[in-house]
């Protein structure tokens, strides 16, 4: 697929702190793509992304990759805090959970896959560093959400994926505590989430389990870590290295 871009410069950027090593995918969460594009270019809004991908597959280029776009806000992944400075942000048009969340059309996902390949041809971005906004800000964000086809992306070489193994074990849930919770939190931290282990399944733990499920366990987004969810987490760590 040959990539073509529509230039739509945004004034909302500044200097990077380091070269990009994380790719953050978002949904726009607004009624239309043109509404989202206006906002991402509005100096008052103070938000932006490097790219926006429309439902028909058109790719808008808003901020040069060498500059810092303002897409992730307060965020964390694998030891990096406030990751705008070290990431590339891609907004994917979808009304989102607030305005009528719907499947991402094929043409749009094909464009996202081609854009991932294009971006990664210029920068060193590991598969374990391709994440959703909800992964880097699980207390605040739901995007790109449980309809985003992460598995299909991974089949094209972008991002980590394993299917949930059938695994026995009591579900861990809000209010539980102990070494099982501690081990799970340590595994989430190792994968990249901001969840210092303390052995208590609290609200922050539930938010991370939910974010993990939106990305890797899309058939079960309930914040309850059953045996299969925990086994899948461990299996992903083996891939992440
Ligand atoms: Zn977002």
């Amino acid at each position: 697929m040959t990539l073509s871009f529509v230039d739509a410069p945004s004034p909302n950027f500044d200097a990077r702190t380091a070269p990009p090593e994380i790719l953050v995918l978002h949904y726009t969460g607004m009624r239309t793509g043109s509404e989202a594009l206006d906002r991402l270019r509005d100096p008052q809004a103070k938000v932006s992304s490097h790219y926006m991908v429309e439902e028909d597959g058109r790719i808008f280029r808003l901020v040069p990759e060498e500059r810092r776009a303002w897409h992730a806000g307060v965020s964390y992944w694998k030891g990096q805090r406030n990751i705008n400075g070290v990431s590339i942000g891609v907004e994917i048009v979808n009304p989102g959970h607030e305005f009528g969340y719907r499947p991402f059309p094929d043409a749009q996902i094909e464009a996202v896959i081609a854009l991932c390949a294009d971006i990664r041809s210029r920068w060193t971005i590991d598969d374990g560093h391709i994440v959703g906004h909800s992964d880097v800000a699980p207390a605040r964000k739901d995007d790109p959400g449980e309809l985003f086809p992460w598995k299909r992306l991974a089949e094209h070489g972008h991002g980590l994926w394993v299917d949930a193994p059938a695994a026995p074990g009591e579900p861990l849930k809000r209010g539980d505590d102990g070494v099982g919770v501690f081990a799970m939190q340590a595994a989430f931290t190792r994968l990249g989430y901001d969840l210092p282990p303390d052995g208590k399944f609290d609200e922050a733990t539930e938010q991370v389990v939910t974010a993990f499920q939106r990305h890797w366990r899309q058939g079960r987004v309930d914040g309850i870590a059953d045996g299969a969810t925990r086994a899948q987490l461990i299996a992903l760590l083996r891939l992440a290295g």
Side-chain angles (χ1 to χ4, degrees):
M1 170 172 183
T2 322
L3 272 189
S4 63
F5 298 97
V6 183
D7 279 309
S10 168
N12 300 331
F13 66 84
D14 54 11
R16 277 197 182 284
T17 51
E21 57 178 55
I22 298 173
L23 181 56
V24 183
L25 304 186
H26 303 255
Y27 66 45
T28 49
M30 297 185 76
R31 286 184 180 83
T32 66
S34 61
E35 201 182 327
L37 190 62
D38 286 348
R39 181 167 157 77
L40 293 165
R41 304 178 68 198
D42 175 3
Q44 306 298 323
K46 293 186 163 40
V47 295
S48 62
S49 58
H50 294 91
Y51 300 98
M52 189 189 88
V53 183
E54 254 290 6
E55 290 185 297
D56 61 9
R58 278 176 301 155
I59 302 172
F60 294 86
R61 182 159 50 190
L62 286 77
V63 172
E65 292 175 354
E66 295 77 14
R67 301 284 181 259
R68 172 165 66 181
W70 304 337
H71 55 96
V74 175
S75 52
Y76 177 96
W77 193 251
K78 268 194 181 171
Q80 304 263 20
R81 215 162 270 290
N82 298 321
I83 61 179
N84 279 344
V86 294
S87 66
I88 287 179
V90 176
E91 288 280 357
I92 301 162
V93 173
N94 191 296
H97 294 89
E98 192 173 351
F99 296 111
Y101 193 38
R102 59 190 183 217
F104 297 84
D106 276 348
Q108 186 180 35
I109 294 307
E110 281 167 19
V112 169
I113 289 168
L115 181 59
C116 285
D118 186 58
I119 292 168
R120 295 178 87 194
S121 73
R122 286 182 289 279
W123 309 100
T124 303
I125 298 174
D126 294 341
D127 285 316
H129 283 193
I130 299 177
V131 289
H133 199 185
S134 54
D135 294 312
V136 302
R140 300 186 299 118
K141 294 293 174 181
D142 298 336
D143 63 307
E146 62 279 5
L147 294 178
F148 187 76
W150 291 104
K151 180 173 182 171
R152 187 165 156 201
L153 240 69
E155 284 166 355
H156 285 82
H158 306 295
L160 300 177
W161 187 268
V162 290
D163 291 317
E170 282 294 298
L172 293 175
K173 57 185 188 312
R174 188 86 173 263
D176 289 346
D177 57 16
V179 69
V181 175
F182 190 98
M184 179 188 74
Q185 291 169 324
F188 277 127
T189 304
R190 178 93 188 283
L191 189 61
Y193 290 96
D194 187 12
L195 191 65
D198 63 3
K200 295 182 174 58
F201 199 121
D202 55 3
E203 184 182 15
T205 305
E206 189 174 66
Q207 287 163 342
V208 166
V209 171
T210 304
F212 176 85
Q213 291 174 326
R214 279 191 207 288
H215 188 147
W216 282 287
R217 189 87 195 281
Q218 297 177 323
R220 175 175 183 143
V221 183
D222 59 3
I224 296 171
D226 66 336
T229 298
R230 300 205 302 282
Q232 189 181 22
L233 171 60
I234 302 300
L236 280 167
L237 284 181
R238 291 187 60 214
L239 292 180

